[in-house]
Amino acid sequence: MKSQRALLALAITAGLLALSGCKPSDQAAPEASAPAEDADAFVARVNQTVKDTTPELTSAAWLGATYINKDTQRLESLANERWLAKNNEFIAQAKTYDAEGLSAPTARAIHLLKTSSSLPAPRDPAKLKELTEITSRLGATYGAGKWCVDGKDCKDIGQVSEILADTEGSSYEQMKAAWEGWHTIAQPMRKDYERFVELTNEGAREMGFANTGEVWRAGYDMTPADFQTEADRLWGQVQPLYEQLQCYTRGKLEEKYGEQGSIDGMIPAHLTGNLWQQDWGNLWPLLQPYEGVGSLDVTGALKKQRDAILADLVSKAGGMGKLTASQQVEIERQADLEMATRMTKLAESFYTGLGMPALPESFYTESQLVQPRDRDVVCHASAWPMDTVGEDVRIKMCIKPNEEELTTIYHELGHIYYYLAYKDQAPVFQNGAHDGFHEAIGDTIVLSMTPEYLASIGLVDKPAVSEEAVINGQMRMALAKVAFLPFGLMIDRWRWGVFDGSITPDKYNQAWWELKAKYQGVAPAGGARGEEFFDAGAKYHVPGNTPYTRYFLSHVLQFQFYKSLCDASGHTGPLYTCNFANNPEAGKRYWAMMQRGASQPWQQTLKELTGGEQMDASAVLEYFAPLQSWLEEQNKGKTCGWEAAKS
């Protein structure tokens, strides 16, 4: 999974349509009065309200993300405030109904509404207003964040990421400075975040939960405690594979940087080619097992296409020399937009090849595909359902012609097609079976982007088949998928501790790095980072209040989905060679699952596709079996693991 992956629109729409399945804490909730209408009428009113309100909410949120200024922050905050007040009313009334005797759809809707917000808001109007202002401010601070040296030479997240990504051209000190520089953008968020925790915890207690983290864990058709145990079980399945990859990577960094290449058996945070150490793909030049074997230069092919588009536009304009400086900038922008559109249509063709519908015409006119030149925007990739009828869906990205961005588009269209698949469900059921499903849809498609598939769409030559090429291909995939797994788990481990008070504000940064050490085996160069920093806030999903365990779950589910779709397509041979593009049976089964939305417990939906009701990482291990054996052979004689992982 890529660093800029976001899901359903924002906190408001995630709260609007969030799945739940819960056993609240033993703490008593405020008593609610007897219901003023029967359950069927109540659910019908909720559905109509959601349908009527969604366009206003999503438009305000869209403006807040694509036109960052004080006016759009105000509009977004006010829209949030109105919705959260209404949602509090719905939650309180939902608690007054007994599920016994209700129809199955009504009982399910009541069940979902009882924990319908990832942003539990206090009922006090003044505190609710304060919370919405804080959430808008946190998002805007992140979106406008820049690393500035001596108040000048300011770089946004894209420019900082480019320094880190150039693991061959950037020096150790340049990467360290860029990594530290980006993390300064989070320092002003710290006080706001402390207050955010206080306010959402108050809202959670009013809902009958101990804290906000418990609300989040309740959304999985099992108790919060059982869900945490389930996540730990899944991590236990994949942890040995990750530890082998970490060991191999650390060894290569030590070969290149000497003593600076590791810190007590851990990887220096600024040396993975990624701001958060969640994707190690930029270390490919250092980590590739067999140099040049099975090389797939997708980025080179995409950049070549973009250059050809620009050359054609310049030729039609009579040559670059005839253009003013502003016209040259504009023609570059046109080339960027045309290339971004071409990449998006390529991704769309995979979905339509499975029998899914073409995207609405408005998708291409309303989406943000490239970064505007005249304003601050949130470039973090996200997919948006602007209404509940499937007429207006969009993505928000700042697309560049490279392989990472291409796979991100395939991922984001997974969200879009999920929206379209369940658009005929009642609004309260318009969500993923659980939030990990939403993240897994597009990534399952990415797994099918095999070398054979990339050759079929003209991005690479027909690949040579050899054991060395297999290991190289698996390593490329592991640097994205396996490297991500502990990161996907630790972010919410930190937030759950923050919400339940076991991580106090004076230990925010200490606890962050303790968890990164424990799960990822990474550490900051230069020693411990003190509490003057707020390094968690340098990751979008923390100020953006997006629960993150969904991404970890998706990295398990996508391999389960992939294996099932490969079986449906009649694939034979090793799992990692499967490409189900253009297979109608695979498309039919996938679409049928997606149409269910949140209308039934996720275990039932999972069983309909995979035959089992339990999330299981065995398909991950089956897929990477050749690489795991190879890594174990390479790591023989080395001391793998790190001390923090034992704590």
Side-chain angles (χ1 to χ4, degrees), residues 534-576:
F534 181 53
D535 290 333
K539 175 62 179 170
Y540 167 81
H541 299 74
V542 173
N545 190 47
T546 302
Y548 209 79
T549 305
R550 62 185 66 186
Y551 295 107
F552 171 76
L553 298 178
S554 81
H555 276 59
V556 173
L557 285 170
Q558 64 191 253
F559 286 90
Q560 273 188 277
F561 293 171
Y562 177 64
K563 181 174 174 60
S564 295
L565 295 176
C566 289
D567 290 344
S569 70
H571 172 74
T572 58
L575 181 59
Y576 61 83

Side-chain angles (χ1 to χ4, degrees), residues 78-272:
L78 290 171
N80 266 308
E81 183 180 346
R82 286 193 297 273
W83 167 251
L84 289 172
K86 176 61 68 175
N87 197 45
N88 278 344
E89 294 176 14
F90 288 155
I91 292 168
Q93 186 167 339
K95 290 179 180 179
T96 66
Y97 297 101
D98 188 337
E100 187 174 349
L102 300 180
S103 68
T106 296
R108 178 69 177 167
I110 295 292
H111 182 59
L112 298 182
L113 284 167
K114 288 179 179 178
T115 55
S116 63
S117 181
S118 62
L119 184 67
R123 294 174 185 170
D124 180 277
K127 291 179 178 178
L128 188 153
K129 179 179 177 64
E130 182 185 4
L131 176 61
T132 60
E133 290 173 347
I134 287 174
T135 56
S136 292
R137 191 160 59 242
L138 286 170
T141 300
Y142 186 93
K146 291 180 175 64
W147 164 42
C148 300
V149 179
D150 298 327
K152 55 186 178 181
D153 187 25
C154 295
K155 293 179 173 60
D156 62 22
I157 188 171
Q159 294 166 314
V160 174
S161 294
E162 287 175 359
I163 295 172
L164 293 174
D166 187 9
T167 56
E168 293 290 281
S170 299
S171 70
Y172 181 98
E173 292 301 330
Q174 285 173 325
M175 289 187 286
K176 183 172 180 287
W179 183 89
E180 291 175 344
W182 174 254
H183 282 69
T184 63
I185 69 114
Q187 290 175 270
M189 302 178 190
R190 188 179 180 114
K191 286 296 181 184
D192 267 345
Y193 195 78
E194 289 180 27
R195 182 59 175 158
F196 168 86
V197 171
E198 294 171 353
L199 292 169
T200 59
N201 273 347
E202 181 175 331
R205 288 191 294 270
E206 291 174 352
M207 290 169 57
F209 291 86
N211 56 71
T212 302
E214 191 174 271
V215 176
W216 290 5
R217 295 193 300 278
Y220 293 94
D221 291 307
M222 58 177 66
T223 69
D226 285 347
F227 172 70
Q228 186 160 342
T229 299
E230 179 71 355
D232 289 339
R233 180 186 66 81
L234 294 170
W235 169 239
Q237 285 185 277
V238 297
Q239 185 176 0
L241 173 59
Y242 176 80
E243 289 179 348
Q244 289 296 319
L245 181 64
Q246 194 270 2
C247 186
Y248 175 77
T249 302
R250 188 191 72 208
K252 289 295 184 180
L253 289 171
E254 289 171 341
E255 288 178 14
K256 180 172 182 177
Y257 296 105
E259 292 183 355
Q260 291 183 312
S262 66
I263 303 170
D264 298 328
M266 294 181 285
I267 295 172
H270 65 287
L271 292 185
T272 64

Side-chain angles (χ1 to χ4, degrees), residues 348 350-360 389-390 393 413-425 431 437 441 444-445 561 565 568 580 583-597 599-600 605 608-609:
E348 180 187 7
F350 194 112
Y351 291 88
T352 57
L354 293 175
M356 299 182 191
L359 294 172
V389 295
V393 290
L413 289 195
H415 292 303
I416 295 295
Y417 274 97
Y418 211 172
Y419 302 147
L420 295 177
Y422 58 55
K423 67 181 179 62
D424 294 328
Q425 292 279 359
N431 206 337
F437 276 65
I441 297 297
T444 301
I445 302 299
F561 293 171
L565 295 176
F580 56 77
N583 186 276
E585 183 61 25
K588 177 182 176 181
R589 295 195 186 188
Y590 213 23
W591 186 253
M593 184 201 76
M594 293 159 64
Q595 285 180 304
R596 294 289 192 184
S599 63
Q600 61 187 20
T605 300
E608 290 175 2
L609 180 66

